[in-house]
């Protein structure tokens, strides 16, 4: 809003009242509307200022209903001139600038609101207001408003993978944090801080894309990988950009488009360069898998040799068991897939066994995918009943939230590998029924 005042602005005495501050802290807009109305502002004026229907405002004031939509909460803050910090929001546009006021505010009134909130012991209202004050000073001192370290730490923690958490729950956590962090990109930042923020953005967006991919949502996963790629490119971190591209290549790889996967993976290899890194190793092994599916054994083996070379030179965090690292377990998981599709089942079995030995006890997805690879190898060797029995056993052993996305794709691959004349076998029909039910 352009004007510094509002006809429905909450009087400062009301805004400083302990009960109103408590209502703001818990986003109890019904109690807020009742207090503003009691101060002499009609429900019609409140409704007009907030873009709500008068009957909804009066209904809320009577304790009927709640407001949870962020756009509506922001409209209420702007319409009633409530400082963003008191509602857990960023500073509102009308709070900034030398001519801005809050409810005709002056320093004494600001002091009154802040003192009341802190004296009331309301952490989310009082401390938020105090934090907002500190944030303004920080912006003056450094030109930056963001605690970049918080998001770098969040990205690092998410990078350790699922650890038994269902993918849908991990997605919800990532989405909530990404939403909170994303708003910082609109703030004035120093060049080093924007670079750091773009890097954290790329990491969080990339991990969100990984979870979406594991859940089987191809279009959303692709869109998030593109966002991650743009952020990584802006950060100037070529290794991170290569990692995003390599992970992105796995979407078409798993969903039946190996040529598209090969194109993205080769771009990732070019971006990573010849220096050993987790991203370079991942890009090479994903390219090998794509070339194996395209029946290009020469290119696949050359890429596998590069993956071996890069992975052998890794140390520290580059070799860590995280989404950003490239550990021995991860190497064998990818080798299993490449060798399976190259028809080198004996070597594939060896990689599967080694990867299963290295899997964390809390891991669900990796062991399931490895056993589904084993089932596909068995099918390629003509052991159809063993293959379908193994695949069905994997699906039965997984909780419902894991029987979707990538695990279903791999199980379907096993089923499709069965020759048509053997589809009548009981164990094959059982697997088909399970896949149709899923």
């Amino acid at each position: 809003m352009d004007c510094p005042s509002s006809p429905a602005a909450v009087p400062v005495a009301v805004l400083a009242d302990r009960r109103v501050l408590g209502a703001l802290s818990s986003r109890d807009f019904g109690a807020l509307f009742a207090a503003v109305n009691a101060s002499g502002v009609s429900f019609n004026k409140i409704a007009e200022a907030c873009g709500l229907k008068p009957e909804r405002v009066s209904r809320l004031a009577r304790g009927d209903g709640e407001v949870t939509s962020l756009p509506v909460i922001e409209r209420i803050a702007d319409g009633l001139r409530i400082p963003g910090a008191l509602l857990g929001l960023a500073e509102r546009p009308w709070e900034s600038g030398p001519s801005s006021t809050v409810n005709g505010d002056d320093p004494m009134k600001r002091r009154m609101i802040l003192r009341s909130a802190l004296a009331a012991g309301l952490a989310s209202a009082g401390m938020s207001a105090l934090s907002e004050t500190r944030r303004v000073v920080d912006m003056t001192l450094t030109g930056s408003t963001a605690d970049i370290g918080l998001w770098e730490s969040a990205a690092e923690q998410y990078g350790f993978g699922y650890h038994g958490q269902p993918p849908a729950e991990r997605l919800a956590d990532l989405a909530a944090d990404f939403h909170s962090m994303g708003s910082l990109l609109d703030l004035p930042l120093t060049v080093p801080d924007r670079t750091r923020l773009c890097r954290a953005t790329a990491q969080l967006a990339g991990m969100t894309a990984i979870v979406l991919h594991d859940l089987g949502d191809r279009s959303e996963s692709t869109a998030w990988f593109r966002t991650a790629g743009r952020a990584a490119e802006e950060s100037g971190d070529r290794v991170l950009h290569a990692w995003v591209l390599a992970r992105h290549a796995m979407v078409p790889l798993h969903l039946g488009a190996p040529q598209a996967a090969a194109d993205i993976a080769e771009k990732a290899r070019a971006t990573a360069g010849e220096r050993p890194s987790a991203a370079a190793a991942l890009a090479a092994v994903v390219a090998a898998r794509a070339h194996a599916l395209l029946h290009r054994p020469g290119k696949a083996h050359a890429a596998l040799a590069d993956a071996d070379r890069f992975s052998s030179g890794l140390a520290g965090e580059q070799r860590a068991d995280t989404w950003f690292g490239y550990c021995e377990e991860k190497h064998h998981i990818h080798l299993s897939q490449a060798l399976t599709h190259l028809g080198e089942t004996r070597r594939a079995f060896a990689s599967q066994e080694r990867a299963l030995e290295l899997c964390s006890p809390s891991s669900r997805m990796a062991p399931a995918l490895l056993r589904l690879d084993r089932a596909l190898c068995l099918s390629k060797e003509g052991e159809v009943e063993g293959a379908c029995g193994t695949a069905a056993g994997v699906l039965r052993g997984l909780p419902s939230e894991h029987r979707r996305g990538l695990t279903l794709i791999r199980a379907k691959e096993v089923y499709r590998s069965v020759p048509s004349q053997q589809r009548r076998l009981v164990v094959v029909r059982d697997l088909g029924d399970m896949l149709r039910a899923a």
Side-chain angles (χ1 to χ4, degrees):
M1 297 185 182
D2 296 328
C3 58
S5 60
S6 166
V10 181
V12 69
V14 174
L15 196 57
D17 182 89
R18 176 174 181 159
R19 289 167 298 180
V20 173
L21 287 166
L24 293 172
S25 175
S26 60
R27 291 186 173 179
D28 179 355
F29 293 101
L32 172 68
F33 292 158
V36 175
N37 177 252
S39 74
V41 182
S42 70
F43 286 139
N44 283 336
K45 276 191 175 182
I46 295 171
E48 182 182 0
C50 301
L52 300 171
K53 293 182 178 180
E55 53 267 29
R56 185 182 182 193
V57 171
S58 60
R59 199 166 60 244
L60 286 165
R62 293 194 303 271
D64 180 7
E66 59 182 354
V67 177
T68 58
S69 168
L70 181 61
V72 176
I73 292 171
E74 290 175 336
R75 287 207 311 268
I76 292 171
D78 294 338
L80 300 184
R81 288 299 188 268
I82 299 168
L86 298 184
L87 284 167
L89 303 173
E91 183 181 67
R92 309 309 301 152
W94 43 266
E95 293 184 68
S96 304
S99 62
S100 65
T101 62
V102 178
N103 307 336
D105 197 13
D106 59 31
M108 184 58 69
K109 290 179 180 178
R110 282 188 181 272
R111 184 186 300 262
M112 179 181 176
I113 293 170
L114 184 57
R115 181 183 293 165
S116 298
L118 293 173
L122 300 168
S124 59
M127 296 310 295
S128 291
L130 189 61
S131 295
E132 182 69 13
T133 301
R134 175 188 54 75
R135 191 186 68 80
V136 171
V137 174
D138 278 347
M139 183 172 63
T140 303
L141 292 173
T142 67
S144 174
T145 62
D147 184 358
I148 312 298
L150 173 67
W151 302 112
E152 291 173 327
S153 175
E156 181 181 4
Q157 290 170 1
Y158 281 122
F160 286 101
Y162 293 113
H163 281 283
Q165 185 182 28
E169 290 183 15
R170 177 50 56 97
L171 179 62
D173 292 341
L174 278 163
D177 276 350
F178 191 88
H179 177 81
S180 298
M181 185 190 68
S183 61
L184 299 179
L185 290 167
D186 289 331
L187 300 176
L189 298 170
T190 62
V191 171
D193 274 359
R194 184 168 181 85
T195 297
R196 291 171 60 199
L197 185 58
C198 284
R199 189 173 189 278
T201 298
Q203 291 174 321
L204 285 174
M207 289 185 286
T208 301
I210 290 170
V211 179
L212 285 163
H213 168 237
D214 288 349
L215 289 170
D217 195 327
R218 178 179 183 173
S219 60
E220 274 299 311
S221 177
T222 297
W224 277 86
F225 273 126
R226 287 175 178 157
T227 296
R230 284 193 291 270
E233 195 168 15
E234 184 172 340
S235 77
D237 188 332
R238 289 179 63 85
V239 171
L240 177 59
H241 192 195
W243 175 83
V244 170
L245 289 168
R247 294 298 312 219
H248 183 181
M250 292 167 68
V251 178
L253 181 71
H254 291 143
L255 296 175
Q259 184 58 61
D263 291 343
I264 300 172
E266 290 297 347
K267 183 178 179 181
R269 296 180 72 187
T271 303
E274 284 298 311
R275 186 175 180 179
S277 67
L282 179 65
V285 81
V286 172
R289 290 173 58 184
H291 291 309
L293 284 168
L294 290 165
H295 308 291
R296 299 169 181 166
K299 287 189 173 182
H301 281 109
L304 284 176
D306 283 343
D308 286 337
R309 175 168 57 88
F310 288 134
S311 64
S312 65
L314 300 180
E317 65 179 17
Q318 290 288 307
R319 200 170 181 78
D321 183 12
T322 69
W323 272 335
F324 301 108
Y326 192 79
C327 60
E328 184 186 357
E329 176 196 340
K330 189 176 294 184
H331 188 52
H332 282 292
I333 288 172
H334 289 291
L335 283 180
S336 165
Q337 270 278 296
L339 294 169
T340 297
H341 288 293
L342 284 168
E344 300 180 26
T345 54
R346 294 295 99 187
R347 289 180 63 194
F349 284 145
S351 280
Q352 290 155 18
E353 289 302 318
R354 180 57 180 154
L356 285 168
E357 289 174 5
L358 295 167
C359 278
S360 163
S362 65
S363 178
R364 289 186 182 272
M365 289 285 285
L369 295 174
L370 285 163
R371 292 187 176 101
L372 288 169
D373 280 354
R374 181 174 182 80
L376 186 57
C377 284
L378 290 171
S379 180
K380 286 180 178 291
E381 292 198 335
E383 297 182 31
V384 169
E385 290 184 282
C388 292
T390 298
V394 169
L395 293 180
R396 276 194 295 268
L398 287 171
S400 58
E401 63 266 21
H402 288 275
R403 289 198 301 269
R404 56 188 295 192
L406 192 51
T407 52
L408 280 184
I409 290 170
R410 294 280 181 87
K412 287 177 182 177
E413 191 175 7
V414 175
Y415 181 77
R416 287 196 298 268
S417 72
V418 176
S420 58
Q421 64 269 25
Q422 293 182 286
R423 296 282 174 91
R424 293 182 179 274
L425 293 171
V426 173
V427 69
V428 179
R429 290 205 311 268
D430 286 347
L431 176 59
D433 290 343
M434 289 181 70
L435 291 171
R436 282 186 288 274

